[in-house]
Amino acid sequence: MEIAKKRVSAVLTAPAPHMVGDGFRVHNFFPNGNRIKMSPFFLLDHNAKISFSARNEPRGMGVHPHRGFETVTIAYHGAIAHHDSAGNSGVIYPGDVQWMTAGAGILHKEYHEDAYSKKGGDFQMVQLWVNLPAKDKMSNPKYQGIRRQEIAQYALPDDSGTVDVIAGSYKDTNGSASTFTPINVFNVRLKKGRKASISLPENYNTGFLVIEGSIEINGVETARSNEFVHFENQGTEIEIEGLENSVILILSGEPIDEPIAQYGPFLMNTEQEIQQAISDYNRGKFGFLE
Ligand code: MN
């Protein structure tokens, strides 16, 4: 039986960037940039590669709350530091991933790591907001700081490249992050002129961001850095070929079929839960962070 290709529904160019605080110049591919089916991924911000000038006082985003979902930060260039009200802190270096479950509520701040800030230079990162199902929205905050060397890596045949399995599984290689719903997040590093085939469930919402380089998809479409390729919920196989040495962030997950109510940093199911989140935040229930 022939295996059905997962067809491209759209290749999306980067929406105009905006600043998050003074430290992150991001292109929001969704939900504001495009209305596409990507649940359980609610938001994708890409700080495409730029160079920040050296500065003693690190740029960043001051203390702010989250409730009802997870923030996933993936660094490609530069270094991002983080502190939260649950007492967790860390630095995300290139290839590292921070998987933070805000759950019932957390305060955190995100900014350029001190040594990077003083030196300046290339900076590139992705932040995802991964929704939680209603039953897990009020779970305890959790923090997974995953170093690049801890991320399971699958070596593609013929020395074509590697698949960093951040979450989910690629062939028999299982991802390092624990997730609440079935999710695949991979960094595929593909050499110029080499191919890889990625198999993902038909019903999973799927897309990928080209981080670096350019690729051909299924022998028909092409996408280059800072473009997002969105797929139809049909077929299972995607074939990619590196037109240059390329890095691709693949996102694929089982949709969470529940109503969404969002207000700023809160992602819940109902308007009443949003009002509750605002009230709880105003009454200091998210903890304290300087
Ligand atoms: Mn945040």
Side-chain angles (χ1 to χ4, degrees), residues 20 61-62 64-66 69 71 73 82 100 108-110 127 129 265:
V20 176
M61 176 71 178
H64 59 278
H66 291 298
F69 63 103
T71 64
T73 306
H82 155 98
M100 188 189 83
H108 78 159
K109 53 182 178 178
E110 304 157 276
Q127 187 165 91
W129 288 12

Side-chain angles (χ1 to χ4, degrees), residues 15-32:
H18 69 274
M19 292 302 295
V20 176
D22 65 356
F24 306 96
R25 183 181 180 271
V26 303
H27 303 270
N28 178 257
F29 280 87
F30 58 83
N32 298 324

Side-chain angles (χ1 to χ4, degrees), residues 114 132 258 282:
D114 208 46
L132 291 171
E258 294 177 0
N282 287 335

Side-chain angles (χ1 to χ4, degrees), residues 210-222:
V210 183
I211 298 294
E212 195 178 299
S214 58
I215 55 159
E216 187 174 80
I217 310 117
N218 295 338
V220 283
E221 309 274 354
T222 59

